[in-house]
Amino acid sequence: MSRQLLLATRNPKKLEELKRILAPLIEVEVLGLDDIPPYEEVPESGATFSDNALLKATEAVKHSGLISLADDSGLAVDALNGMPGVLSARWSGSTRPEVSRDDANVDLVLEQLADTPDERLGAAFHCAVALVRPDGARVVRLGVMAGRLIRERRGGNGFGYDPIFVPAGYEVSSAELSSADKDAISHRGKALQAIVPDLLAALDG
Ligand code: IMP
C-alpha cells in the first residue's frame, strides 16, 4: 500500500503547493479534507498561529488515522501591535455581499493605518505548519516573510493582503509576483520547506 499524508485543508492551491514540494523528495499520496469522509471542523480558536495549526492537524489525525499536516497564517502589522494576526481572515467581520472578504479586510487595515506615517508601515506574514502523527508525536515549524504595506492596491495575483504588501528587498507587491516566485520567499513556502525533514522521518518511521 502506498504511503499517505493528509493536509487539513480544502484549498486546492495549498494541496498543489505541498505536492510540488514533496514530489522530488518522496513517494507519497497527499490527500486533502475533500478526499476523506467529512467531519465537523473545529473553530480556529487558538491565540497563536502554532496553536491553530496544531488544533487543525490534531483533529485531522483523530478523524483519519493518517499522518496529518495543517497550516495557519496571517498578517502582523507593526503599527497595529501585530494585528490582525490570527484574526487576519475575518478581520473586517464583513458580511457585505457586494464586497469580497479579502477586499473588506484590506479596506479596514488601510483605514486603520490612515494616520500612520509611511516609515512605520512595517508588516510581516507569518505561517505555522504543524505535523501530527497517529502516535501523538507533533512538531511545528514557522516561516516569516517580512515587508511593508502600501496604501494603494497593486497586482492581480495572490489573495488576501497581497495587493498591499511589498516583501523586503522588493519594489513590487506580493500580488505582482508569480506564484512560483512568491512560494520561494513566502512565509508558507519557508514553513513547508522547514517541515520536510520531519515529514520524511515520520513517513519513513
Ligand atoms: P489561512 O491560514 O489560509 O486561513 O489564511 C489566513 C488569512 O491570512 C487569509 O485569509 C489572508 O487574509 C491572510 N494571509 C495568509 N497568507 C497570506 C498570503 O500569502 N497573502 C495574503 N494574505 C495572506
Side-chain angles (χ1 to χ4, degrees):
M1 201 178 69
S2 78
R3 285 175 293 190
Q4 290 183 320
L5 164 69
L6 175 64
L7 180 62
T9 186
R10 298 189 189 281
N11 181 334
K13 282 191 184 169
K14 287 190 181 177
L15 272 174
E16 282 316 310
E17 184 182 2
L18 182 64
K19 284 180 189 172
R20 251 192 340 262
I21 289 174
L22 294 182
L25 300 172
I26 193 160
E27 209 171 301
V28 61
E29 187 184 358
V30 182
L31 306 176
L33 290 181
D34 289 332
D35 300 313
I36 65 163
Y39 61 86
E40 197 172 331
E41 287 165 50
V42 288
E44 295 184 14
S45 55
T48 65
F49 299 114
S50 299
D51 288 349
N52 279 336
L54 274 170
L55 212 66
K56 287 186 271 187
T58 304
E59 281 299 294
V61 176
K62 194 168 96 190
H63 292 280
S64 70
L66 296 172
I67 295 172
S68 298
L69 272 187
D71 77 336
D72 194 50
S73 60
L75 178 71
V77 180
D78 298 346
L80 299 178
N81 288 328
M83 291 185 283
V86 290
L87 300 175
S88 290
R90 48 205 151 108
W91 187 235
S92 67
S94 171
T95 50
R96 286 181 293 161
E98 74 283 9
V99 181
S100 80
R101 202 158 71 147
D102 282 351
D103 273 341
N105 288 338
V106 167
D107 285 345
L108 180 58
V109 165
L110 289 178
E111 202 179 304
Q112 290 165 329
L113 294 171
D115 297 327
T116 302
D118 286 355
E119 61 275 16
R120 290 209 294 116
L121 289 183
F125 280 117
H126 292 253
C127 179
V129 177
L131 167 66
V132 179
R133 299 183 351 183
D135 66 6
R138 46 181 51 199
V139 61
V140 180
R141 301 288 174 202
L142 305 174
V144 177
M145 174 165 65
R148 65 187 169 86
L149 298 183
I150 49 176
R151 297 182 200 277
E152 304 285 332
R153 289 169 165 83
R154 276 162 45 181
N157 302 331
F159 67 103
Y161 302 89
D162 279 328
I164 57 162
F165 183 84
V166 173
Y170 285 72
E171 292 302 324
V172 294
S173 81
S174 46
E176 292 177 289
L177 294 175
S178 68
S179 27
D181 286 346
K182 185 182 158 194
D183 288 354
I185 60 163
S186 81
H187 47 311
R188 189 170 302 98
K190 287 177 190 165
L192 280 175
Q193 291 290 353
I195 212 157
V196 164
D198 306 293
L199 202 47
L200 298 183
L203 289 163
D204 282 338

